Amino acid sequence: IADDELLNARLAPDMFTLIGQVQRASDTCKGAVMRLAQTPPVPMPDEEASYDDLKARIARTIELLEAAPREAIDGRVGHDPPG
């Protein structure tokens, strides 16, 4: 199966493509951690079109998660989520 076909495949008609699924997972992870750490959100444009692009987005997301101030997140234990 061609890469393009897999990257744009959907498991169901109302689901995002594989590319869209990775983009939403990235947004959800970094959004949750940035909110907990009370740091400004870091936008990422949805421009991925290949496996290498998706791998790069995942790597950037992991870098953001690892850079989040741990003490700010730990300090949120027992508090209501920021709103």
Side-chain angles (χ1 to χ4, degrees), residues 7-77:
L7 291 168
N8 291 296
R10 300 169 192 265
L11 292 177
D14 63 342
M15 291 180 67
F16 287 116
T17 63
L18 175 60
I19 290 172
Q21 294 288 344
V22 172
Q23 291 166 339
R24 295 301 72 74
S26 165
D27 290 343
T28 300
C29 291
K30 66 187 180 67
V33 169
M34 298 297 115
R35 285 185 66 183
L36 280 172
Q38 298 181 334
T39 59
V42 177
M44 286 185 191
D46 294 337
E47 301 173 338
E48 293 78 22
S50 69
Y51 284 112
D52 287 339
D53 292 344
L54 292 176
K55 289 178 189 177
R57 184 180 181 119
I58 292 167
R60 286 192 315 273
T61 302
I62 291 170
E63 287 173 10
L64 286 170
L65 299 179
E66 291 176 340
R70 176 71 185 235
E71 62 280 354
I73 295 170
D74 289 346
R76 300 294 305 159
V77 173

